[in-house]
Amino acid sequence: MSDTTVSEARTEQLAAIEESGWGQPFRFLQPHNLAFWVYLLGIGGGALTMLKYFGAGGTFYSRALAGGVLLFGLYLIPWLLLLRHHNRFTAQPAGLLATGFAWGGIAATFWIALPANGALIEIWTKIGGPAFAADWAAGLTAPINEEWGKALGLVLLIGLAPRLVRSAYDGFIIGAFIGLGFQVFEDVLYVYNGAAQQYGVDQFGTSLQVFLVRGAAGIVSHALFSAIFCAGLMWVLGRTRGERNVVRGVLTMLTAMTFHFAWDDMAGLSGGTWATAVLPFAIAIIELATLFYVLRHAARTERVWTRALLTPELETGAIDPPLLNAVSGLHKDRKAYRKHVHSRKTARHLLEAASDLSRELALSGGNESPAVTHARNELLRLRTPD
């Protein structure tokens, strides 16, 4: 690379770090920030509602609650590993993601959704009658208050961390964590309600039954809805250069709400026919295909930033063009790279090491640091044949 090319690459690297906000710390305690107090209001209101809801029968149904917390706590582990893998571009701080998870689980579930659902379902019952409400009320209610209630957490996180929450991919990842929080806390709520309906008989069996049903359905539930919805919201807001697309954003948000409607009102859509057995699988396939479509487009800006971040490393020899294409590219680029190095294991190690180097460069602001030097030397070691 010529000196001019190196200088341009360095300029683009610093611009990518500035635009992305990568490497910026997350600070939750911000007493002079209105978003901080609104967040506390939501968490406090949700916590009080939760205590009130569980308080009356919490002692009697303690085994069901304990079983629900244990089972869905274990359920969290594979989800967190999956989301950690997809957080490779943005590398959002754990504290920010935990703050989003808590909003989804406590504020969105108990402060917003629980009272709003009851009120809106009652309205639909008065308008259409009990039979109409049984088939359609859930789908006409939850996609509105639940999706917007969860998305409010994303808006508050923008207020708390405006440098960190910039792109549609940020919205996708944070939305998934918010939705996951909602999903897990709601599932525990279902465990409690199931135990109450059985008058406390076989509480752990009830917990297990709810876990199996809700756990399987959770693959295409709130985490998916919120990831899609919040990516769409970020496209509408357009917080990074060249990413604003209001039409795409609105359509993406409506798509998430439509999926939520279809999932909640499957009985009404199937009409009690044979379609009841087929519809869940058909909807799940469409939802997952849409999820990956949104993910691919949402990550476009992140891929550009990653490429800009690592391009100067071509000069050091730590990165070569095929590896740069793979670490900043799509699945097909990573697949091509595996063929290029003739080893899936070696390709995985090199891609992980390149991601580590990009993260350390972002944390250091593009400057040299012991961590950057270590990450670069590790890449050079992996790329050097024995």
Side-chain angles (χ1 to χ4, degrees):
M1 297 174 69
S2 67
D3 291 343
T4 301
T5 306
V6 171
S7 177
E8 291 175 353
R10 173 66 172 165
T11 300
E12 290 177 2
Q13 180 192 58
L14 295 176
I17 294 172
E18 175 64 26
E19 287 181 14
S20 68
W22 293 352
Q24 294 292 317
F26 172 66
R27 183 168 57 90
F28 174 71
L29 187 62
Q30 300 181 43
H32 299 294
N33 189 333
L34 179 61
F36 171 74
W37 294 107
V38 175
Y39 182 91
L40 286 187
L41 175 64
I43 292 293
L48 287 174
T49 303
M50 181 168 57
L51 290 172
K52 187 183 299 183
Y53 193 92
F54 291 135
T59 302
F60 186 72
Y61 302 118
S62 59
R63 284 174 294 169
L65 277 173
V69 170
L70 173 64
L71 291 170
F72 285 104
L74 294 172
Y75 181 71
L76 265 178
I77 295 174
W79 273 102
L80 294 176
L81 291 174
L82 175 66
L83 292 176
R84 180 180 178 273
H85 169 73
H86 283 292
N87 192 31
R88 65 183 184 277
F89 285 125
T90 50
Q92 290 288 358
L96 184 146
L97 297 175
T99 302
F101 180 90
W103 176 269
I106 300 172
T109 305
F110 290 94
W111 187 50
I112 297 174
L114 192 61
N117 282 349
L120 284 172
I121 289 175
E122 186 175 337
I123 291 172
W124 291 121
T125 303
K126 290 180 179 178
I127 291 174
F132 173 84
D135 284 342
W136 304 107
L140 294 173
T141 298
I144 300 172
N145 68 74
E146 291 181 6
E147 293 311 317
W148 282 104
K150 290 180 287 182
L152 177 57
L154 175 65
V155 173
L156 293 174
L157 285 176
I158 292 174
L160 289 170
R163 293 286 309 281
L164 284 167
V165 189
R166 302 296 299 273
S167 68
Y169 195 79
D170 293 334
F172 185 95
I173 293 295
I174 295 168
F177 272 90
I178 293 172
L180 184 60
F182 191 103
Q183 189 170 308
V184 169
F185 277 72
E186 184 185 55
D187 287 342
V188 173
L189 183 63
Y190 271 82
V191 168
Y192 178 87
N193 290 340
Q197 290 171 1
Q198 297 296 323
Y199 303 103
V201 176
D202 189 19
Q203 293 189 27
F204 188 76
T206 300
S207 301
L208 185 59
Q209 182 180 2
V210 172
F211 170 75
L212 293 174
V213 173
R214 299 285 299 181
I219 297 171
V220 286
S221 185
H222 286 286
L224 180 147
F225 302 151
S226 293
I228 295 174
F229 189 93
C230 289
L233 180 58
M234 293 302 290
W235 273 319
V236 171
L237 296 176
R239 289 185 44 76
T240 192
R241 178 166 48 96
E243 227 192 28
R244 187 173 192 187
N245 190 324
V246 176
V247 173
R248 174 189 283 173
V250 170
L251 289 175
T252 302
M253 294 163 71
L254 289 175
T255 297
M257 295 174 72
T258 301
F259 286 157
H260 199 158
F261 162 80
W263 202 253
D264 281 0
D265 279 350
M266 212 167 303
L269 291 171
S270 65
T273 65
W274 59 268
T276 304
V278 177
L279 200 58
F281 299 98
I283 292 174
I285 291 170
I286 295 170
E287 287 184 4
L288 289 172
T290 304
L291 177 76
F292 288 114
Y293 177 85
V294 171
L295 172 62
R296 175 173 178 166
H297 286 272
R300 183 177 297 164
T301 300
E302 247 72 12
R303 294 196 298 270
V304 172
W305 284 335
T306 299
R307 189 175 190 87
L309 201 63
L310 289 174
T311 294
E313 293 298 321
L314 292 171
E315 183 71 12
T316 69
I319 298 283
D320 62 2
L323 178 55
L324 180 62
N325 291 336
V327 76
S328 62
L330 300 168
H331 174 73
K332 64 181 180 64
D333 300 300
R334 294 188 291 277
K335 184 177 179 180
Y337 186 67
R338 288 195 292 269
K339 292 182 179 178
H340 173 74
V341 299
H342 307 294
S343 170
R344 178 182 291 269
K345 181 179 179 181
T346 300
R348 185 179 72 251
H349 288 163
L350 285 165
L351 287 167
E352 289 174 353
S355 296
D356 289 343
L357 178 56
S358 69
R359 181 172 59 252
E360 296 303 337
L361 284 165
L363 288 170
S364 70
N367 300 312
E368 287 298 316
S369 71
V372 168
T373 301
H374 175 77
R376 184 183 295 123
N377 289 339
E378 181 64 13
L379 251 179
L380 289 167
R381 182 187 68 80
L382 290 171
R383 295 192 61 234
T384 302
D386 293 334

